[in-house]
Amino acid sequence: MRYQTAGVALAVCLLAIGVASMPKGASAQCTGFVSRPIDLGVSGGNFHSFTKKHKFCFSGTLGSMVQDNNGKQFILSNNHVLDDTNKAKHGDLIVQPGLADVQCAQTPSDGVANFSRAVKLNFGGGTNTVDAAIAEIIPGDVSSDIMNIGPISSTTVAPSPGLPVKKQGTTTCTTTGNISSVGARLKIKYGGGKVAKFVNQIIINVQDFGAPGDSGSLIVTQDACPSAVGLLFAGSANQSFTVANPISNVLSKLHVSMTGGCTAVRSAPPAATAEQAGNATVSPDLVTSATAVRDRHEDELMKIPGAVGTAIGISDQPGHPAIEVYIDKMTPEAQASAPKEIEGLPVKLIENGGFVAY
């Protein structure tokens, strides 16, 4: 999330890791007030998004529009954006722009939705699959289009290594990249000493693809009529890795579906393409078998000094999977204790500075 001290325009990363900078070419339009009805992919958050004693306020990204079986429409974002990390009350006002973009000023007329429900985040040692929440839109205040992307399809696409994707968020605006890893099992820091364990996550290894404040952004394919792939919620402290929940898990947990505005036309699923944007892919069967190997050795891999997660990515041999182990800092001890391969699969040791909620 983007944090700001009350009365001082200072956006800082969660846990005071560093200042969130806007990449060259990004537009300030992504962070400020948007005329109604708003496009999504813009700044927003809970009306009560303050830390204790109101020292800081914070905001994220209002990602996309979804709907339930009765046609009721909602804004989709993260639990830690709309639900104030398990603390919001049903009906809380969701404002645009978020408080961090208006020097923490609470303006009821900025409301565009009301908090409905969230998937509770588990910080007690159990595992999480999504950081997600929805808020019922105020009629006439929200468009289903995403800023700089436009309408999207009502269909979804499963993540796969190499799949070309893009997203629109309030901090880094519109960015593109390729999925580098899937099936990630990660420890995510949420501040205040809270750490949540996540399983089956997506990783995009592209510098500044996402940053603090982009939480809640919808990650979509790069098609003319994009399909949803994931919900951005976290990343590495140095912003070189972005983490997302697979969208199928998000929609299933919240009992909603994507609100489409265009029709996707594909001759084959993206994952079946032999090559995507110049990057080799890995077949679903090989990913599944590699995941099983990783899972059998997860305890061993997480004993590597500084380990904060594992995932399945692409090996140096195109078309073949590798087991990735993410570590906070590359040390001689970590390098000495990491296996070169497990059951014939190469093991990659990757320094990332740790993962934090964005």
Side-chain angles (χ1 to χ4, degrees):
M1 291 178 288
R2 288 168 57 87
Y3 275 63
Q4 184 182 79
T5 55
V8 179
L10 175 65
V12 301
C13 173
L14 187 63
L15 302 175
I17 294 167
V19 177
S21 60
M22 186 173 290
K24 185 181 297 184
S27 169
Q29 181 186 14
C30 298
T31 62
F33 180 89
V34 179
S35 298
R36 274 50 174 171
I38 65 167
D39 281 350
L40 292 164
V42 295
S43 164
N46 195 294
F47 187 72
H48 304 290
S49 293
F50 285 89
T51 58
K52 291 181 179 179
K53 300 181 180 180
H54 278 217
K55 185 176 181 181
F56 293 96
C57 64
F58 51 90
S59 60
T61 296
L62 306 180
S64 60
M65 185 183 288
V66 295
Q67 60 189 25
D68 64 14
N69 289 334
N70 297 317
K72 187 179 294 184
Q73 296 178 324
F74 306 86
I75 291 174
L76 172 65
S77 187
N78 296 139
N79 175 313
H80 73 270
V81 174
L82 300 182
D83 191 21
D84 196 10
T85 313
N86 298 339
K87 296 193 293 290
K89 296 179 180 179
H90 186 272
D92 274 357
L93 195 63
I94 304 302
V95 291
Q96 195 295 310
L99 299 186
D101 290 309
V102 289
Q103 299 188 20
C104 302
Q106 292 176 294
T107 307
S109 60
D110 284 347
V112 294
N114 294 98
F115 174 69
S116 298
R117 60 183 181 272
V119 180
K120 186 175 181 180
L121 289 168
N122 185 328
F123 296 104
T127 57
N128 299 272
T129 56
V130 301
D131 179 340
I134 54 175
E136 185 175 354
I137 67 169
I138 296 174
D141 280 351
V142 183
S143 164
S144 62
D145 285 3
I146 298 176
M147 179 180 285
N148 298 326
I149 291 177
I152 65 169
S153 171
S154 60
T155 63
T156 63
V157 168
S160 60
L163 179 67
V165 292
K166 60 184 176 181
K167 76 98 188 65
Q168 161 66 32
T170 186
T171 302
T172 57
C173 246
T174 311
T175 54
T176 61
N178 294 75
I179 291 176
S180 56
S181 315
V182 295
R185 301 175 64 94
L186 309 169
K187 296 177 181 178
I188 310 290
K189 296 179 181 179
Y190 274 79
K194 294 181 179 180
V195 178
K197 296 179 181 178
F198 279 81
V199 298
N200 191 30
Q201 300 302 296
I202 304 165
I203 295 179
I204 299 165
N205 180 9
V206 175
Q207 184 67 44
D208 295 326
F209 180 86
D214 286 331
S215 278
S217 301
L218 187 71
I219 296 175
V220 299
T221 62
Q222 292 185 20
D223 300 299
C225 178
S227 293
V229 178
L231 183 66
L232 191 158
F233 80 104
S236 59
N238 61 8
Q239 297 175 201
S240 58
F241 296 88
T242 297
V243 185
N245 314 140
I247 195 63
S248 59
N249 291 344
V250 172
L251 300 177
S252 174
K253 290 281 187 180
L254 291 169
H255 306 291
V256 293
S257 59
M258 301 306 304
T259 302
C262 61
T263 302
V265 178
R266 296 189 186 92
S267 57
T273 307
E275 192 170 49
Q276 295 164 328
N279 290 345
T281 63
V282 178
S283 73
D285 288 345
L286 288 177
V287 168
T288 298
S289 62
T291 300
V293 173
R294 186 276 310 274
D295 291 349
R296 287 194 290 272
H297 297 271
E298 177 74 6
D299 291 343
E300 171 192 348
L301 294 170
M302 290 302 292
K303 289 178 182 178
I304 296 172
V308 293
T310 63
I312 305 302
I314 304 173
S315 75
D316 295 334
Q317 185 178 358
H320 293 268
I323 296 173
E324 299 174 337
V325 180
Y326 293 89
I327 59 172
D328 188 8
K329 185 178 181 180
M330 191 71 71
T331 63
E333 292 77 15
Q335 291 175 311
S337 63
K340 300 298 182 184
E341 64 175 42
I342 292 178
E343 295 186 32
L345 287 176
V347 175
K348 291 183 176 181
L349 205 57
I350 302 172
E351 180 179 9
N352 79 323
F355 292 103
V356 297
Y358 274 177

